[in-house]
Amino acid sequence: MAIFSCATGGKIASLCASADLGPSQGSLAYRFGRKGAIELKHPEARALPDQAFSTAVIGDAGFAGDIVRFSRGETRYTLYSIIVKGQGERDGILVSRGGRRLAELKCEDSALGADAWKLLYRAKLPKAEPASLD
């Protein structure tokens, strides 16, 4: 089941979960690339979701939303869905290394599947640190 699916610049980023996703069970996988040509897969080998991903609710006076995060070596990937006051929903992916933003890929349309975050909350993934977009 697709939790997050984001079209950006001719490529697709997707976060998919098994129906049995829960604490220390099921599967959660991220894929990025063109159809038939995956450029990034996480995790590369089968791993429990709580060992490969973290999540957080974020916000301040101007925005609120959710993030899912994973790291590959020193590179951190943050999938986000936020609502910005007066501007609506924004979805995308931030890529950073050493606290420095390398890229921000903005989704062309809404990236969330039905009840997406509800399924992630049920999985009780570890809290992303820091609980922010950066």
Side-chain angles (χ1 to χ4, degrees), residues 44-123:
E44 286 188 37
R46 185 145 170 88
L48 291 172
D50 58 358
Q51 295 173 352
F53 296 91
S54 59
T55 189
V57 175
I58 60 171
D60 66 16
F63 76 95
D66 298 277
I67 63 171
V68 174
R69 185 172 284 150
F70 66 92
S71 294
R72 303 282 299 218
E74 294 182 22
T75 305
R76 182 168 66 190
Y77 298 82
T78 303
L79 287 62
Y80 66 86
S81 180
I82 59 173
I83 296 175
V84 179
K85 188 175 182 177
Q87 298 178 28
E89 185 176 331
R90 291 187 183 175
D91 303 325
I93 302 151
L94 294 175
V95 183
S96 61
R97 185 178 303 131
R100 203 170 125 224
R101 188 177 292 188
L102 301 177
E104 180 172 8
L105 307 173
K106 295 182 180 177
C107 299
E108 295 167 5
D109 294 312
S110 178
L112 296 181
D115 296 324
W117 297 113
K118 188 184 297 186
L119 186 61
L120 283 175
Y121 294 147
R122 188 176 79 199

